[in-house]
mmCIF file of all heavy atoms in Angstrom:
data_model
loop_
_atom_site.group_PDB
_atom_site.id
_atom_site.type_symbol
_atom_site.label_atom_id
_atom_site.label_comp_id
_atom_site.label_asym_id
_atom_site.label_seq_id
_atom_site.Cartn_x
_atom_site.Cartn_y
_atom_site.Cartn_z
ATOM 1 N N LYS A 79 72.397 91.151 94.197
ATOM 2 C CA LYS A 79 72.260 90.852 95.623
ATOM 3 C C LYS A 79 71.794 89.415 95.834
ATOM 4 O O LYS A 79 72.348 88.684 96.672
ATOM 5 C CB LYS A 79 71.262 91.822 96.276
ATOM 6 C CG LYS A 79 71.096 91.605 97.783
ATOM 7 C CD LYS A 79 69.879 92.317 98.332
ATOM 8 C CE LYS A 79 68.602 91.574 97.944
ATOM 9 N NZ LYS A 79 67.390 92.165 98.557
ATOM 10 N N ILE A 83 74.149 86.706 97.822
ATOM 11 C CA ILE A 83 73.734 86.100 99.084
ATOM 12 C C ILE A 83 73.748 84.578 98.979
ATOM 13 O O ILE A 83 74.151 83.878 99.921
ATOM 14 C CB ILE A 83 72.347 86.629 99.507
ATOM 15 C CG1 ILE A 83 72.474 88.097 99.943
ATOM 16 C CG2 ILE A 83 71.744 85.793 100.630
ATOM 17 C CD1 ILE A 83 71.158 88.780 100.236
ATOM 18 N N THR A 88 77.917 88.631 102.669
ATOM 19 C CA THR A 88 77.177 89.344 103.709
ATOM 20 C C THR A 88 77.297 90.860 103.552
ATOM 21 O O THR A 88 76.516 91.610 104.129
ATOM 22 C CB THR A 88 77.710 88.966 105.105
ATOM 23 O OG1 THR A 88 79.116 89.288 105.158
ATOM 24 C CG2 THR A 88 77.516 87.482 105.379
ATOM 25 N N HIS A 89 78.315 91.304 102.787
ATOM 26 C CA HIS A 89 78.589 92.722 102.624
ATOM 27 C C HIS A 89 78.830 93.054 101.150
ATOM 28 O O HIS A 89 79.057 92.156 100.330
ATOM 29 C CB HIS A 89 79.836 93.141 103.426
ATOM 30 C CG HIS A 89 79.637 93.137 104.898
ATOM 31 N ND1 HIS A 89 79.465 91.977 105.625
ATOM 32 C CD2 HIS A 89 79.587 94.160 105.808
ATOM 33 C CE1 HIS A 89 79.319 92.277 106.907
ATOM 34 N NE2 HIS A 89 79.391 93.597 107.037
ATOM 35 N N TYR A 90 78.796 94.331 100.850
ATOM 36 C CA TYR A 90 79.167 94.794 99.506
ATOM 37 C C TYR A 90 80.108 95.988 99.648
ATOM 38 O O TYR A 90 80.154 96.648 100.696
ATOM 39 C CB TYR A 90 77.924 95.189 98.693
ATOM 40 C CG TYR A 90 77.179 96.389 99.218
ATOM 41 C CD1 TYR A 90 77.467 97.679 98.766
ATOM 42 C CD2 TYR A 90 76.172 96.233 100.179
ATOM 43 C CE1 TYR A 90 76.784 98.783 99.259
ATOM 44 C CE2 TYR A 90 75.484 97.334 100.667
ATOM 45 C CZ TYR A 90 75.796 98.607 100.209
ATOM 46 O OH TYR A 90 75.126 99.693 100.705
ATOM 47 N N ASP A 106 79.857 97.603 103.414
ATOM 48 C CA ASP A 106 78.553 97.807 104.047
ATOM 49 C C ASP A 106 77.786 96.489 103.990
ATOM 50 O O ASP A 106 77.874 95.748 103.004
ATOM 51 C CB ASP A 106 77.749 98.885 103.314
ATOM 52 C CG ASP A 106 78.252 100.282 103.610
ATOM 53 O OD1 ASP A 106 78.308 100.645 104.792
ATOM 54 O OD2 ASP A 106 78.613 101.005 102.657
ATOM 55 N N ALA A 107 77.023 96.225 105.025
ATOM 56 C CA ALA A 107 76.262 94.970 105.083
ATOM 57 C C ALA A 107 75.000 95.067 104.234
ATOM 58 O O ALA A 107 74.427 96.144 104.061
ATOM 59 C CB ALA A 107 75.898 94.639 106.521
ATOM 60 N N PHE A 108 74.568 93.910 103.705
ATOM 61 C CA PHE A 108 73.244 93.806 103.069
ATOM 62 C C PHE A 108 72.211 93.784 104.201
ATOM 63 O O PHE A 108 71.569 92.781 104.465
ATOM 64 C CB PHE A 108 73.117 92.502 102.273
ATOM 65 C CG PHE A 108 73.967 92.428 101.040
ATOM 66 C CD1 PHE A 108 74.917 91.427 100.892
ATOM 67 C CD2 PHE A 108 73.815 93.341 100.006
ATOM 68 C CE1 PHE A 108 75.689 91.333 99.755
ATOM 69 C CE2 PHE A 108 74.579 93.258 98.862
ATOM 70 C CZ PHE A 108 75.525 92.263 98.734
ATOM 71 N N PHE A 109 72.072 94.901 104.876
ATOM 72 C CA PHE A 109 71.266 94.868 106.102
ATOM 73 C C PHE A 109 70.666 96.244 106.344
ATOM 74 O O PHE A 109 71.324 97.267 106.188
ATOM 75 C CB PHE A 109 72.155 94.480 107.295
ATOM 76 C CG PHE A 109 71.455 94.487 108.624
ATOM 77 C CD1 PHE A 109 70.689 93.400 109.009
ATOM 78 C CD2 PHE A 109 71.553 95.584 109.477
ATOM 79 C CE1 PHE A 109 70.032 93.399 110.235
ATOM 80 C CE2 PHE A 109 70.901 95.592 110.697
ATOM 81 C CZ PHE A 109 70.145 94.492 111.086
ATOM 82 N N ASP A 110 69.400 96.258 106.689
ATOM 83 C CA ASP A 110 68.739 97.514 107.035
ATOM 84 C C ASP A 110 67.584 97.204 107.987
ATOM 85 O O ASP A 110 67.195 96.046 108.146
ATOM 86 C CB ASP A 110 68.225 98.221 105.781
ATOM 87 C CG ASP A 110 68.183 99.733 105.957
ATOM 88 O OD1 ASP A 110 68.300 100.200 107.109
ATOM 89 O OD2 ASP A 110 68.044 100.438 104.946
ATOM 90 N N LEU A 111 67.081 98.241 108.614
ATOM 91 C CA LEU A 111 65.934 98.094 109.517
ATOM 92 C C LEU A 111 64.741 98.870 108.976
ATOM 93 O O LEU A 111 64.877 100.022 108.547
ATOM 94 C CB LEU A 111 66.274 98.611 110.915
ATOM 95 C CG LEU A 111 67.222 97.773 111.772
ATOM 96 C CD1 LEU A 111 67.512 98.499 113.072
ATOM 97 C CD2 LEU A 111 66.630 96.390 112.041
ATOM 98 N N LEU A 112 63.572 98.256 109.023
ATOM 99 C CA LEU A 112 62.324 98.944 108.685
ATOM 100 C C LEU A 112 61.867 99.750 109.908
ATOM 101 O O LEU A 112 62.335 99.509 111.037
ATOM 102 C CB LEU A 112 61.258 97.924 108.294
ATOM 103 C CG LEU A 112 61.534 97.124 107.004
ATOM 104 C CD1 LEU A 112 60.444 96.086 106.799
ATOM 105 C CD2 LEU A 112 61.637 98.051 105.802
ATOM 106 N N GLY A 115 61.174 98.013 113.071
ATOM 107 C CA GLY A 115 62.265 97.263 113.688
ATOM 108 C C GLY A 115 62.579 95.951 113.021
ATOM 109 O O GLY A 115 63.482 95.225 113.453
ATOM 110 N N THR A 116 61.872 95.619 111.938
ATOM 111 C CA THR A 116 62.130 94.377 111.211
ATOM 112 C C THR A 116 63.438 94.497 110.410
ATOM 113 O O THR A 116 63.677 95.506 109.742
ATOM 114 C CB THR A 116 60.975 94.060 110.234
ATOM 115 O OG1 THR A 116 59.743 94.050 110.967
ATOM 116 C CG2 THR A 116 61.198 92.720 109.552
ATOM 117 N N ALA A 117 64.249 93.474 110.478
ATOM 118 C CA ALA A 117 65.514 93.470 109.736
ATOM 119 C C ALA A 117 65.319 92.811 108.373
ATOM 120 O O ALA A 117 64.518 91.877 108.233
ATOM 121 C CB ALA A 117 66.574 92.718 110.523
ATOM 122 N N LEU A 118 66.041 93.335 107.376
ATOM 123 C CA LEU A 118 65.989 92.718 106.054
ATOM 124 C C LEU A 118 67.282 93.004 105.302
ATOM 125 O O LEU A 118 68.031 93.925 105.641
ATOM 126 C CB LEU A 118 64.804 93.240 105.246
ATOM 127 C CG LEU A 118 64.924 94.638 104.594
ATOM 128 C CD1 LEU A 118 63.828 94.808 103.553
ATOM 129 C CD2 LEU A 118 64.855 95.748 105.626
ATOM 130 N N GLU A 119 67.553 92.149 104.268
ATOM 131 C CA GLU A 119 68.696 92.381 103.397
ATOM 132 C C GLU A 119 68.291 93.417 102.351
ATOM 133 O O GLU A 119 67.275 93.257 101.679
ATOM 134 C CB GLU A 119 69.127 91.090 102.688
ATOM 135 C CG GLU A 119 70.039 90.206 103.500
ATOM 136 C CD GLU A 119 69.307 89.474 104.612
ATOM 137 O OE1 GLU A 119 68.100 89.209 104.427
ATOM 138 O OE2 GLU A 119 69.919 89.187 105.648
ATOM 139 N N LYS A 120 69.099 94.465 102.202
ATOM 140 C CA LYS A 120 68.743 95.536 101.284
ATOM 141 C C LYS A 120 69.951 95.950 100.444
ATOM 142 O O LYS A 120 71.060 96.111 100.950
ATOM 143 C CB LYS A 120 68.229 96.752 102.071
ATOM 144 C CG LYS A 120 67.699 97.879 101.191
ATOM 145 C CD LYS A 120 67.156 99.023 102.049
ATOM 146 C CE LYS A 120 66.645 100.151 101.168
ATOM 147 N NZ LYS A 120 66.149 101.297 101.978
ATOM 148 N N PHE A 121 69.705 96.106 99.142
ATOM 149 C CA PHE A 121 70.742 96.592 98.225
ATOM 150 C C PHE A 121 70.037 97.054 96.958
ATOM 151 O O PHE A 121 69.529 96.247 96.190
ATOM 152 C CB PHE A 121 71.742 95.470 97.906
ATOM 153 C CG PHE A 121 72.844 95.879 96.956
ATOM 154 C CD1 PHE A 121 73.765 96.854 97.320
ATOM 155 C CD2 PHE A 121 72.956 95.289 95.703
ATOM 156 C CE1 PHE A 121 74.783 97.214 96.459
ATOM 157 C CE2 PHE A 121 73.971 95.639 94.827
ATOM 158 C CZ PHE A 121 74.889 96.612 95.205
ATOM 159 N N GLN A 125 72.732 102.086 95.777
ATOM 160 C CA GLN A 125 73.958 101.543 96.373
ATOM 161 C C GLN A 125 74.880 100.929 95.318
ATOM 162 O O GLN A 125 76.095 100.940 95.459
ATOM 163 C CB GLN A 125 73.625 100.480 97.429
ATOM 164 C CG GLN A 125 73.044 101.027 98.721
ATOM 165 C CD GLN A 125 71.547 101.208 98.628
ATOM 166 O OE1 GLN A 125 70.910 100.744 97.686
ATOM 167 N NE2 GLN A 125 70.966 101.896 99.607
#
Side-chain angles (χ1 to χ4, degrees):
K79 182 194 75 175
I83 289 174
T88 58
H89 290 69
Y90 66 92
D106 285 304
F108 291 121
F109 177 82
D110 209 346
L111 288 176
L112 295 176
T116 306
L118 78 165
E119 276 74 29
K120 186 178 179 182
F121 180 64
Q125 288 86 11

